[in-house]
Amino acid sequence: MSGGGLLIAGTTSDAGKSVVTAGICRWLVRRGVKVAPFKGQNMSLNSFVTREGAEIGRAQAMQAQAARVEPSALMNPVLLKPGSDRSSQVVLMGKPVGELSARGYHGGRQQMLFEPVVECLEKLRGTYDAVICEGAGSPAEINLRRTDIVNMGIARAARLPVVVVGDIDRGGVFAQFFGTTALLAPEDQELVAGYLVNKFRGDVTLLEPGLEMLHGLTGRRTFGVLPYAHGLGIDEEDGLRVSLRGAVRESVTSAPLGEDVLRVAVCAVPLMSNFTDVDALAAEPGVIVRFVDRAEELADADLVVVPGTRGTVKALAWLRERGLADAIARRAAEGRPVLGICGGFQALGEHIEDEVESRAGEVDGLGLLPVRVRFDREKTLARPVGEALGERVEGYEIHHGVAEVLGGEPFLDGCRVGAVWGTHWHGSLESDGFRRAFLREVAAAAGRRFIPAPDTRFGLLREEQLDRLGDLIEEHADTAALLELIERGAPAGLPFIPPGAP
């Protein structure tokens, strides 16, 4: 017998689907329900490697942590990793299977993936009491409905009840709820049980008349009004637009332990991936993390991070065009700290041979580390464990570039020369002892009287944030009604709202 299920759709991208899904997972697991997250298709450069070596969206890994289960490729069977505005790498069941244009994907390939996606969902439902599914974008993208495998397509195939989340902080949420419902086919509307308001500020009694009118117009109830919550900082799906909000903790409000703060500037390279690598730095009291795109913004930085990217050669050109490459080289010559992670590590090397990612052939790197990189068609996906600066380190690797380290001091899988470090390992800074040792090195090289806090535990902070999400659901949503939806499906007799899908 299949377990219960629920699809969390949204009126727009970034309406709050990821955090609501995580919050429901945490609320359910605290009730003793065996629950798993699921997203049939995800488009993100922010990914994670499971223990079996599969690449999935980092948001689904975070939701699995919220559910207190091990992340699995079943939870995100299709991952699209953009390489440009018009094409993406397709990752199926955790392994890359090729590059496709948007037209090629929506023109037929996506439909071929529908059956595997449904099979993954059914496997999860056969194992767990409940599966909380996350949609993508909006379910009312009428131009894409025919090939949909993540919103109403999966809801209809699996007979999942649907709750639509709307971001009221942007305004227009009532029109979004009504319009989203009214643009769905009758068979899809039958599954839309109601709505969830997200990011509300103020007196909820002022909102209630509108919710009553919405119920009158649609015949559907609102399952809760979630207040605007500051500093949640859980792993999101995409880009700089999200990361500029801050990371795990709003660190500028946390006083430093020593006499100085430590300023970290992260180069906002094109196709930036896994920007969550710096979340652990921002979690440290007295560490201020900001994303930059101008050379002048490096002047007062104590540490410059060149992060991961899906386009190493493109990132190199961008760094050079903006004068950031010269500014980083000057820093290195002056003994001021620079850290390159994954694609950023490759960019700091001497030479790149790329016939895979950019097909640019031979390209000179920044020449700050004695490393030569050759791009391989086979992607490295791993969960390494090692030691650096006298501390145990765990990380994960996601890259096509194979680095040949020709000198310097060993540093994880990469090297160090002076105050320049490079590694392919994502997530290494989440290892508390290593992060503190690294920050002590950075502070010494930068001449700052900064002392890392001895008791910052990144894993514990992440758990606290997930509990906050669970609290939001438990305290501000109608949990009894949500539980009934999960167990019994959408209520019968929900009215059709014209005009429906064209």
Side-chain angles (χ1 to χ4, degrees):
M1 179 180 173
S2 290
L6 177 67
L7 176 71
I8 302 299
T11 57
T12 61
S13 293
D14 203 30
K17 297 183 292 291
S18 294
V19 295
V20 167
T21 300
I24 292 175
C25 285
R26 178 49 59 101
W27 157 63
L28 285 172
V29 78
R30 292 194 308 206
R31 286 180 54 95
V33 177
K34 189 180 177 186
V35 60
F38 177 81
K39 185 163 185 172
Q41 172 199 292
N42 197 350
M43 178 173 279
S44 179
L45 288 172
N46 219 14
S47 59
F48 182 77
V49 179
T50 67
R51 293 207 180 279
E52 66 267 25
E55 184 180 9
I56 65 172
R58 189 155 173 126
Q60 277 62 66
M62 174 272 295
Q63 290 161 355
Q65 186 177 351
R68 296 180 180 146
V69 296
E70 190 65 37
S72 158
L74 290 173
M75 298 171 185
N76 179 207
V78 179
L79 173 64
L80 305 179
K81 302 193 73 175
S84 70
D85 289 343
R86 295 193 175 185
S87 69
S88 294
Q89 182 181 68
V90 181
V91 178
L92 177 62
M93 291 304 295
K95 304 296 180 185
V97 293
E99 295 272 341
L100 273 180
S101 68
R103 181 178 291 275
Y105 184 68
H106 290 289
R109 186 65 180 269
Q110 188 180 31
Q111 285 176 299
M112 295 169 58
L113 299 173
F114 184 70
E115 192 172 322
V117 166
V118 173
E119 286 175 1
C120 288
L121 176 56
E122 287 309 309
K123 283 180 183 177
L124 289 174
R125 294 182 77 183
T127 306
Y128 292 89
D129 300 330
V131 179
I132 308 303
C133 307
E134 179 188 344
S138 160
E141 307 292 358
I142 53 179
N143 55 316
L144 302 177
R145 174 62 184 90
R146 183 177 60 83
T147 57
D148 171 49
I149 65 172
V150 65
N151 288 307
M152 300 312 299
I154 196 77
R156 203 192 294 187
R159 302 306 299 170
L160 293 172
V162 178
V163 172
V164 181
V165 178
D167 178 358
I168 197 169
D169 197 50
R170 297 180 176 187
V173 76
F174 293 115
Q176 292 170 21
F177 284 145
F178 184 88
T180 296
T181 310
L183 279 178
L184 299 178
E187 296 85 355
D188 290 345
Q189 287 194 25
E190 287 176 5
L191 299 172
V192 177
Y195 314 108
L196 191 65
V197 176
N198 193 27
K199 301 181 188 176
F200 180 72
R201 307 174 194 248
D203 184 349
V204 74
T205 60
L206 298 176
L207 188 65
E208 285 169 355
L211 300 179
E212 291 171 9
M213 285 186 271
L214 181 68
H215 184 269
L217 288 165
T218 67
R220 289 159 175 87
R221 56 168 302 175
T222 298
F223 288 92
V225 178
L226 307 184
Y228 195 104
H230 292 277
L232 283 175
I234 53 87
D235 298 351
E236 305 256 13
E237 290 182 351
D238 294 299
L240 183 60
R241 172 176 59 86
V242 173
S243 62
L244 281 170
R245 298 185 193 150
V248 166
R249 184 180 272 179
E250 294 171 333
S251 56
V252 290
T253 64
S254 303
L257 206 65
E259 295 178 44
D260 290 339
V261 297
L262 211 60
R263 292 177 173 83
V264 178
V266 184
C267 298
V269 296
L271 299 174
M272 182 169 51
S273 61
N274 290 69
F275 58 83
T276 48
D277 282 332
V278 297
D279 284 0
L281 294 179
E284 287 284 351
V287 176
I288 300 168
V289 176
R290 66 183 189 274
F291 289 78
V292 304
D293 58 6
R294 295 182 302 180
E296 310 89 83
E297 294 176 288
L298 303 189
D300 67 342
D302 301 305
L303 170 66
V304 169
V305 177
V306 187
T309 171
R310 173 89 159 86
T312 300
V313 170
K314 182 181 285 189
L316 265 171
W318 182 88
L319 290 168
R320 287 176 168 134
E321 288 164 7
R322 291 176 171 262
L324 286 158
D326 289 339
I328 291 169
R330 286 194 298 272
R331 288 183 64 89
E334 295 164 1
R336 301 175 66 198
V338 177
L339 170 65
I341 302 174
C342 200
F345 165 45
Q346 297 166 4
L348 296 179
E350 296 172 351
H351 186 76
I352 293 171
E353 182 185 334
D354 182 10
E355 298 292 351
V356 176
E357 192 174 75
S358 68
R359 298 182 176 86
E362 309 278 335
V363 178
D364 287 332
L366 299 184
L368 303 182
L369 291 174
V371 174
R372 298 177 72 85
V373 176
R374 177 185 53 80
F375 275 72
D376 195 352
R377 294 195 180 280
E378 196 72 26
K379 182 185 278 192
T380 298
L381 296 169
R383 288 279 292 271
V385 177
E387 187 175 298
L389 306 180
E391 298 285 349
R392 186 177 187 274
V393 189
E394 294 184 31
Y396 57 100
E397 295 183 62
I398 306 169
H399 54 92
H400 284 280
V402 179
E404 182 185 5
V405 179
L406 303 171
E409 299 175 48
F411 178 70
L412 299 175
D413 71 318
C415 63
R416 170 187 182 175
V417 174
V420 181
W421 295 265
T423 176
H424 276 125
W425 290 21
H426 294 290
S428 62
L429 293 166
E430 295 180 18
S431 297
D432 297 329
F434 167 70
R435 182 180 63 254
R436 286 192 277 270
F438 177 72
L439 288 175
R440 282 192 290 269
E441 295 258 351
V442 168
R448 293 289 185 190
R449 290 171 293 184
F450 169 86
I451 301 171
D455 56 352
T456 302
R457 294 172 57 195
F458 184 78
L460 184 60
L461 289 173
R462 179 62 55 81
E463 278 295 304
E464 288 174 358
Q465 301 293 43
L466 294 172
D467 273 331
R468 286 183 63 195
L469 294 181
D471 293 344
L472 282 176
I473 299 298
E474 195 164 333
E475 295 168 12
H476 300 282
D478 186 337
T479 52
L482 287 176
L483 202 56
E484 186 170 355
L485 274 185
I486 291 166
E487 292 175 346
R488 300 187 182 181
L494 290 167
F496 172 70
I497 310 302

